[in-house]
Amino acid sequence: LAFFQTDQDEQYAASYLLETYYYASDKKILYQFIDPDRKPTVAQKYGIKGYGQVVLTYGERKERVTFLTEQDITNALAKLIIRDSKTAYFLSGHGERDLGDFGPEGYSRLKHALEQQNFRVVSLNLMSGDRVPEDASVVVVAGPKKKYFENELARFDDYLEKGSGLLIMLEPYEETNLEDFLAKWNIVIQNDIIIDKRSRVLGGDYLMPVVSDFANHEITKNSTTAVLLSEVRSIRSKQDEHGRWISRELAWTSKQSWAETNLKAAQEENSAIYDVDQDLPGPVGVAA
């Protein structure tokens, strides 16, 4: 059900897109246009509050699309057809990024993007003593500012022993005890910040390194576009006591960058100078 004003210019573009779905589905996906001004009762029934919104229905289920794009329509179709959604739990209670925050450091847009990919996104606090729920597809630790309690770290271990996914993102200047936790998995997190003065060419800051080198790995195999990361610390994988690699780096900065260990000097571009004895030369790992 596409809610547009009659003869609205946008209706013609929408008609072309919806007609494509009609034929691509062998005429199984049907559509009709409804003018919310002429049929306000129908618009109210489906919670329509503006022009250009589309509601997809399948049996008793329905999904509303605010922006009429191929991606949003296809994601809505997937939600209707695929009954089992994945659940992503974002930890809270230690200063992590907020799912409800619409500001520049908030994760509201990420939450929306994950929901568009048929994820159920839920905040989780382990300080109450609960374990990670059984339906967790992934647990995300996004930029904590405080240390975790030992019983919380034990729940991480229990969760990982089941072969589940844990995504940890640590900020520079923030000391947590997750550095020691990751060391058990042969992932080394340094107390530094990566500097890349060539980022200015791409409109970035010297603390916003360019990442364009990705590993040939299942996680990063489709990463082909360079990205800018705002304030990131280095990450390295290392061998275990038997000389085996049980962790693997996935993305690196350029050769011109380095990981600065003098965090005070890094706050001013002119004071940040590569020290061969103290700093880590590029390319520097940023994910593993």
Side-chain angles (χ1 to χ4, degrees), residues 26 68 127 155 179 217 236:
D26 195 20
L68 191 60
M127 288 190 291
R155 291 185 179 88
E179 293 84 357
H217 187 277
R236 290 186 294 115

Side-chain angles (χ1 to χ4, degrees), residues 167-170 178-179 182-183 185-194 211 229 232-238 245 247-253 258-259 280-281 283-288:
L167 173 61
I168 297 177
M169 297 179 284
L170 300 179
L178 291 179
E179 293 84 357
L182 288 170
W185 298 88
N186 285 19
I187 295 176
V188 180
I189 306 293
Q190 299 293 114
N191 185 25
D192 56 26
I193 188 168
I194 298 175
V211 179
L229 293 181
V232 60
R233 59 204 292 189
S234 71
I235 184 169
R236 290 186 294 115
S237 59
K238 68 175 183 178
W245 292 98
S247 64
R248 182 176 178 183
E249 293 174 32
L250 298 175
W252 300 268
T253 58
W258 75 88
L280 182 66
V284 183
V286 294

